[in-house]
Amino acid sequence: MLSSARKVAAVARELADETERGRRLAPGLVDELKAHDLLRIGLTADLGGAEPTAMEILEAAETIAVGDASAGWCVSIAATSSLLGAYLPAKGGQEVFGDPTAVAAGVWAPKAAGTPVDGGVRISGRWSFCSGVRHSEWIFLGFIQDGQVRTAAFPTAELEILDTWKTSGLRGTGSTDVVAKDVFVPDSRLFSVLDGPPEGSRTLQRFPLFGFFAASIAAAALGNARGAMTEFIELASVRKPSGSSRSTAERSATQAAFAAAEASLRAARGLYYQAISDAWDAAAAGSVSVELRTSLRLACTHAVRTSAEVVDAVYDLGGGSAIYEYSPLQRRFRDAHTATAHFQVNPATYELVGRLLLGLPTETGQL
């Protein structure tokens, strides 16, 4: 999987401008992702999955984000959505993922109301931030039914896809709005992500679902930061600040700032993967404690926000050359600060973790 991810990362970087302009993954990149089966990596074996570890999935997404953050982000979202195949009733799982080329996106926020009818529900609503919906045949969307939060799997062809994704960063994710207008969803494609892992689940399904969601955002952010570091090295070796005979790389101030950024990124990445490893070991043994789930969410938020700081540092070191639209550092900067806005890793996460660390009563259902 990691070898495939490296190959796709090279394609993602080559097509990054096309992806950015189109505000969705370039068609050639989607073809590469599907050819390497990197958009369904959270599936169980009965649905055709290879059942990798959480760390292997997230490292693959991070690697692709080194090539282009939008590509890594979409791989992360697709992985998170494919995890939900295990939550579907068997009939629904086959309907959604039985086609080996089918890809799913997902937004779990309950932005719609469901009306029970014979054999299922009829749903109307509008959801934002539907990353990857334009290259997905299915999408999981949250809704409220009888006061309960539930999730439905929709064919994207039955939804209206709006052209709303006009943002500063992560433009290529195509995270646009979708609308359902009285769409019927059968019982076989309904479930709740709040009920915990399905009975008989394997380790990947026992791994904290909301923690994996946060980790998927962090994987893209870490990869974006590493990509920015790599691109700065290429720039610094040839760029000479105005009035200087030395390249940017030869300046002592650059060397010190770059080394500090490298240390910050390595430390955040180390904490991130240690938290994932600890949670995985606990899931393999049976269940993941609140303490480990808290550590995982803290590590994910720290990774995203530290990654943005690292990108800020190399963006500043890039000087005037970094401000132009054609500069990869400029895109990395915008992508980094779009990632920090995600609700799974925004500053409120620190408040949640802080309450737990301080021993205060805290709702932990979505850890």
Side-chain angles (χ1 to χ4, degrees):
M1 183 182 295
L2 192 57
S3 175
S4 292
R6 292 190 184 107
K7 293 175 183 176
V8 173
V11 176
R13 185 178 185 186
E14 181 182 343
L15 297 178
D17 288 341
E18 182 181 346
T19 289
E20 172 103 347
R21 288 194 304 270
R23 291 182 290 120
R24 58 190 296 180
L25 296 189
L29 176 55
V30 174
D31 290 344
E32 282 293 311
L33 287 165
K34 289 189 172 184
H36 289 277
D37 201 23
L38 287 166
L39 294 174
R40 294 160 50 92
I41 48 182
L43 290 178
T44 52
D46 62 311
L47 292 174
E51 298 194 3
T53 67
M55 186 176 294
E56 288 170 336
I57 293 173
L58 294 163
E59 191 172 7
E62 178 194 12
T63 298
I64 292 168
V66 174
D68 177 53
S70 288
W73 183 283
C74 285
V75 169
S76 289
I77 294 300
T80 306
S81 297
S82 61
L83 282 173
L84 299 183
Y87 286 72
L88 283 164
K91 180 181 178 181
Q94 288 297 326
E95 186 177 359
V96 174
F97 292 111
D99 179 347
T101 67
V103 174
V107 175
W108 304 348
K111 297 294 185 179
T115 302
V117 295
D118 187 30
V121 295
R122 302 198 75 88
I123 300 175
S124 295
R126 176 171 173 167
W127 297 261
S128 302
F129 306 112
C130 300
S131 302
V133 67
R134 293 192 182 277
H135 60 253
S136 300
E137 289 75 27
W138 294 86
I139 184 167
F140 293 101
L141 298 170
F143 71 101
I144 299 292
Q145 179 184 341
D146 299 328
Q148 301 296 313
V149 177
R150 305 194 73 196
T151 303
F154 293 80
T156 54
E158 294 183 3
L159 303 173
E160 181 183 0
I161 300 177
L162 306 180
D163 186 21
T164 56
W165 191 243
K166 300 173 182 178
T167 59
S168 61
L170 292 172
R171 293 175 182 172
T173 63
S175 305
T176 192
D177 290 16
V178 301
V179 176
K181 296 179 179 178
D182 196 33
V183 177
F184 173 74
V185 181
D187 289 331
S188 60
R189 289 195 262 115
L190 302 172
F191 59 94
S192 172
V193 296
L194 300 180
D195 291 343
E199 187 176 349
S201 292
R202 297 199 175 189
T203 304
L204 185 57
Q205 285 68 49
R206 293 196 300 272
F207 191 89
L209 183 61
F210 287 94
F212 189 96
F213 189 11
S216 70
I217 304 306
L222 286 166
N224 182 59
R226 176 53 63 197
M229 296 284 280
T230 300
E231 285 154 4
F232 176 75
I233 291 172
E234 296 171 0
L235 170 69
S237 63
V238 297
R239 177 180 179 269
K240 293 183 178 180
S242 179
S244 175
S245 60
R246 295 181 299 165
S247 70
T248 299
E250 292 172 316
R251 302 178 70 194
S252 59
T254 299
Q255 296 156 11
F258 191 78
E262 179 68 27
S264 294
L265 184 58
R266 289 191 194 186
R269 188 176 186 272
L271 177 66
Y272 169 78
Y273 279 111
Q274 184 62 58
I276 291 167
S277 178
D278 291 344
W280 181 264
D281 289 345
S287 64
V288 184
S289 67
V290 170
E291 180 182 3
L292 288 177
R293 286 184 278 145
T294 301
S295 295
L296 177 60
R297 291 299 298 277
L298 177 62
C300 292
T301 299
H302 179 67
V304 172
R305 309 199 78 78
T306 300
S307 292
E309 292 169 2
V310 167
V311 175
D312 288 353
V314 294
Y315 178 81
D316 285 344
L317 291 173
S321 62
I323 69 173
Y324 291 94
E325 286 192 351
Y326 59 73
S327 169
L329 286 180
Q330 197 251 22
R331 180 167 59 244
R332 296 291 187 181
F333 179 87
R334 291 186 284 105
D335 289 348
H337 287 280
T338 301
T340 59
H342 197 283
F343 79 97
Q344 284 280 357
V345 291
N346 65 20
T349 309
Y350 281 142
E351 296 176 21
L352 170 66
V353 172
R355 289 185 62 85
L356 289 163
L357 294 174
L358 291 166
L360 300 175
T362 308
E363 169 56 46
T364 61
Q366 294 192 25
L367 275 177

